[in-house]
Amino acid sequence: MKKIIFLISFFLMHACAKAADNNIKLTLTEAISMARKKSVDAVVARGVLKSAYWAYRTYQADLLPELSFDGTAPQFNKSYSSYQQNDGSYKFIRNNWFGMNGALNVNQNIWLTGGQLSLSTSLDYIKGDGMKNFMSVPISLTLNQPIFGVNNTKWNRRIEPLKYNEAKAAFVTATEEVTMKTIQYFFNLLLARENVNIAKQNLQNAKRLFDIADERKKMGQVSESDLLRLKLSAINAQSTLTDNESSLNSNMFQLKTFLNINDSTPIDLVIPEKLPEVSIRYADVLDKALENNSFALNIRRRQLESDYAVAKAKGNLRSIKLTASVGYSGISNDRIRYAYDDLKNNTIISIGFSVPILDWGKRRGEVKVAESNREVTESKLRQEQQTFNQDIFLLVEHFNNQSKQLKLATEADSIAQRRYKTSIETFMIGKINTLDLNDAQVNKDDARQKDIAQLFYYWYYYYQLRSLTLWDFAKNKGIDADFDEIIKQ
């Protein structure tokens, strides 16, 4: 019989040890790495970055020459159309012809002036009533140049690079915010696990103390009230354990969902250690934030966009456009090669303009609206800058103070644990009552929870500083990303 009991105990211990070994050991660093790669937030951040990248590529393409081929092949026309004769009367004539045309164009935007320069070559062919007709334009150079209007290309050269740099900085910030979310989920689960451990210990102690008190009551050393109070404590401890186990499962699910872990194996968290002593000055943090954070780029971009809106409104007050085209053309009624002989000058120059005479102040009003919007934007930006500076100041204060708070919380946890252990031993010999014992237990539980909470705030504030400054203060270097590699993913 003893051998059977021994074998059963051995197999149970082995099974428990194996189950513990199957748990996923997860450190905070590993959780952060997983979140940055697999979480939905990280995928969204990469998608936003890619969208900004292709928008920037589109802008860059507008600055480069564009080669295009336009053509119609074939075009068949067999219809009637009206025709005015010499005496002013109209008659309908029949069209019956077959044609093709093609043109090769090279277009280049001129960012300095806002115009466009086009170089083209084309060939047209028409066959009707048995006659073949060719017209060639071997080369034609055309300039379209707005005068007094806004130079959109020049403004885009100032705004678009800022927008892409802002998007890159925002991506790094979003990555750090993913880290902050990971820290929240990680410590929520860590605290839930500690609460379960506390509840298990409290339940075990409550049962043990009740059994001891029950024996002492028989000897007349414990009152009925104290015994019932201990029994109630055991019942409450069981209820608390049930609630905490439910909370543990809920937080376990949330962390695994965030990290995109589908495995049903429980996660066994490793309590992170405190960083080496890091002292951070407000002036340094503010300088790094203004240098690296997307907020500073966002302010500059919005200033430029408000100036751009004013420039466009002023440019719409009048419109003058110069069009000049120079080149050569040839005509042949027989063979295509003759269309390139005896070339003639083909020059067109025109200046078009549109000047409002009476618009009831509409265009002037648009200028005033744009200027008012710019003033509102500037006021908002000043307010946002003040709030940004204030938030950084408070965050630096919180982080520098948090190191002290964590040290005190750890020391308080150690003292409370020792006090509770001493209180149990003192209660067993009858020198303190159940109220003092409960007080020691409550202080012990609160101290342990506060220790975990203070460790959470320490890590959270640190990564919040990183997200604002894009600077690793522990390693004293900037936080960057391989954007080319990220775009390829």
Side-chain angles (χ1 to χ4, degrees):
M1 186 67 181
K2 291 182 178 179
K3 290 184 177 179
I4 295 175
I5 295 174
F6 173 77
L7 289 173
I8 292 174
S9 301
F10 175 77
F11 283 121
L12 287 174
M13 291 174 61
H14 180 71
C16 292
K18 187 175 181 180
D21 290 340
N22 288 335
N23 289 356
I24 301 176
K25 293 280 187 181
L26 189 66
T27 65
L28 180 58
T29 303
E30 292 170 342
I32 291 172
S33 179
M34 293 175 65
R36 290 181 172 183
K37 294 177 182 177
K38 300 171 63 177
S39 69
V40 175
D41 295 49
V43 174
V44 171
R46 287 196 292 269
V48 173
L49 175 65
K50 289 179 181 180
S51 177
Y53 168 78
W54 288 112
Y56 181 67
R57 282 287 301 273
T58 301
Y59 146 74
Q60 286 184 314
D62 283 339
L63 301 179
L64 300 175
E66 180 182 297
L67 178 64
S68 64
F69 179 76
D70 304 322
T72 302
Q75 182 178 4
F76 180 69
N77 191 336
K78 192 172 185 179
S79 62
Y80 286 91
S81 60
S82 60
Y83 173 74
Q84 187 178 21
Q85 301 182 88
N86 292 334
D87 61 358
S89 63
Y90 284 88
K91 66 179 295 187
F92 288 100
I93 62 171
R94 184 171 180 78
N95 298 307
N96 188 359
W97 54 270
F98 173 83
M100 292 185 295
N101 63 73
L104 190 65
N105 306 296
V106 179
N107 300 318
Q108 172 65 60
N109 291 322
I110 307 172
W111 70 267
L112 190 63
T113 62
Q116 186 182 69
L117 193 63
S118 301
L119 182 66
S120 63
T121 179
S122 63
L123 179 65
D124 288 71
Y125 166 71
I126 296 178
K127 180 180 180 181
D129 298 328
M131 298 288 294
K132 296 180 180 179
N133 297 279
F134 296 92
M135 185 181 75
S136 71
V137 180
I139 186 170
S140 176
L141 186 64
T142 304
L143 173 66
N144 290 300
Q145 178 60 58
I147 302 174
F148 301 123
V150 65
N151 186 341
N152 296 303
T153 305
K154 187 175 181 179
W155 278 100
N156 286 337
R157 276 174 57 89
R158 301 173 65 185
I159 295 174
E160 292 300 327
L162 264 180
K163 289 175 68 175
Y164 184 49
N165 289 333
E166 179 186 350
K168 291 194 291 186
F171 170 78
V172 180
T173 298
T175 302
E176 295 300 308
E177 289 174 351
V178 168
T179 299
M180 292 162 61
K181 260 192 174 182
T182 307
I183 292 173
Q184 284 182 311
Y185 286 122
F186 187 93
F187 276 91
N188 285 344
L189 178 56
L190 188 61
L191 183 58
R193 187 190 71 180
E194 290 300 315
N195 286 337
V196 168
N197 292 337
I198 290 171
K200 286 180 178 179
Q201 181 190 25
N202 291 343
L203 177 60
Q204 181 182 2
N205 291 340
K207 288 180 177 179
R208 183 160 63 100
L209 291 173
F210 175 77
D211 292 339
I212 295 172
D214 190 33
E215 293 295 326
R216 291 175 57 194
K217 181 180 181 299
K218 295 175 182 178
M219 295 183 291
Q221 298 177 352
V222 174
S223 67
E224 179 71 17
S225 176
D226 285 342
L227 182 63
L228 292 176
R229 187 178 288 114
L230 288 172
K231 187 174 182 179
L232 183 60
S233 295
I235 294 173
N236 290 336
Q238 182 65 61
S239 175
T240 301
L241 176 60
T242 302
D243 290 340
N244 289 346
E245 286 177 337
S246 176
S247 178
L248 175 65
N249 293 331
S250 175
N251 284 284
M252 179 82 70
F253 179 79
Q254 289 179 347
L255 177 61
K256 293 176 74 171
T257 300
F258 183 70
L259 298 181
N260 201 15
I261 299 175
N262 297 320
D263 192 358
S264 59
T265 306
I267 295 176
D268 187 10
L269 299 184
V270 178
I271 299 179
E273 296 181 357
K274 180 185 168 185
L275 289 168
E277 287 295 333
V278 179
S279 180
I280 298 177
R281 296 191 312 122
Y282 166 70
D284 295 336
V285 174
L286 182 61
D287 288 343
K288 295 298 181 185
L290 295 178
E291 180 182 349
N292 301 325
N293 193 280
S294 61
F295 174 76
L297 296 170
N298 175 271
I299 285 181
R300 180 58 182 155
R301 173 180 60 80
R302 288 159 64 188
Q303 287 175 334
L304 285 175
E305 287 176 343
S306 62
D307 291 340
Y308 181 28
V310 173
K312 284 198 295 184
K314 290 182 177 180
N316 291 334
L317 290 174
R318 56 189 181 278
S319 176
I320 301 177
K321 185 176 182 180
L322 168 66
T323 300
S325 177
V326 295
Y328 297 92
S329 62
I331 299 174
S332 171
N333 296 326
D334 187 8
R335 297 183 179 181
I336 187 172
R337 62 186 180 86
Y338 295 146
Y340 291 90
D341 295 338
D342 193 23
L343 298 176
K344 306 296 184 182
N345 192 315
N346 190 17
T347 300
I348 301 174
I349 297 177
S350 65
I351 298 178
F353 59 89
S354 174
V355 179
I357 298 176
L358 182 63
D359 67 350
W360 308 105
K362 182 182 73 174
R363 289 173 175 80
R364 292 288 179 184
E366 290 174 349
V367 174
K368 293 297 182 182
V369 168
E371 290 176 341
S372 297
N373 289 337
R374 180 170 62 180
E375 292 176 1
V376 171
T377 299
E378 290 174 349
S379 298
K380 286 182 177 180
L381 293 179
R382 284 194 298 269
Q383 185 178 24
E384 290 175 14
Q385 182 71 68
Q386 292 173 356
T387 303
F388 183 74
N389 295 355
Q390 180 179 341
D391 290 344
I392 289 179
F393 177 81
L394 294 176
L395 182 58
V396 171
E397 289 295 311
H398 286 322
F399 177 77
N400 289 333
N401 183 58
Q402 194 58 34
S403 180
K404 301 174 185 176
Q405 293 287 358
L406 178 57
K407 185 177 179 181
L408 293 173
T410 303
E411 185 178 356
D413 180 38
S414 177
I415 294 173
Q417 295 290 338
R418 293 200 306 269
R419 181 201 172 197
Y420 179 63
K421 183 178 179 181
T422 303
S423 297
I424 290 178
E425 295 171 352
T426 307
F427 177 81
M428 288 182 179
I429 61 177
K431 291 190 176 181
I432 62 171
N433 57 29
T434 55
L435 293 177
D436 293 331
L437 180 62
N438 288 337
D439 180 65
Q441 178 182 314
V442 170
N443 289 335
K444 181 255 309 178
D445 296 346
D446 288 345
R448 184 58 182 158
Q449 291 169 348
K450 286 181 180 178
D451 188 29
I452 296 294
Q454 295 299 337
L455 184 60
F456 158 72
Y457 283 119
Y458 179 83
W459 281 97
Y460 189 82
Y461 289 151
Y462 176 70
Y463 273 94
Q464 195 172 5
L465 282 170
R466 282 173 48 117
S467 71
L468 287 174
T469 60
L470 305 187
W471 188 265
D472 189 336
F473 293 94
K475 298 179 180 178
N476 197 28
K477 68 175 186 177
I479 302 171
D480 204 352
D482 189 348
F483 294 103
D484 293 336
E485 185 63 29
I486 293 170
I487 295 299
K488 293 177 183 177
Q489 293 178 2

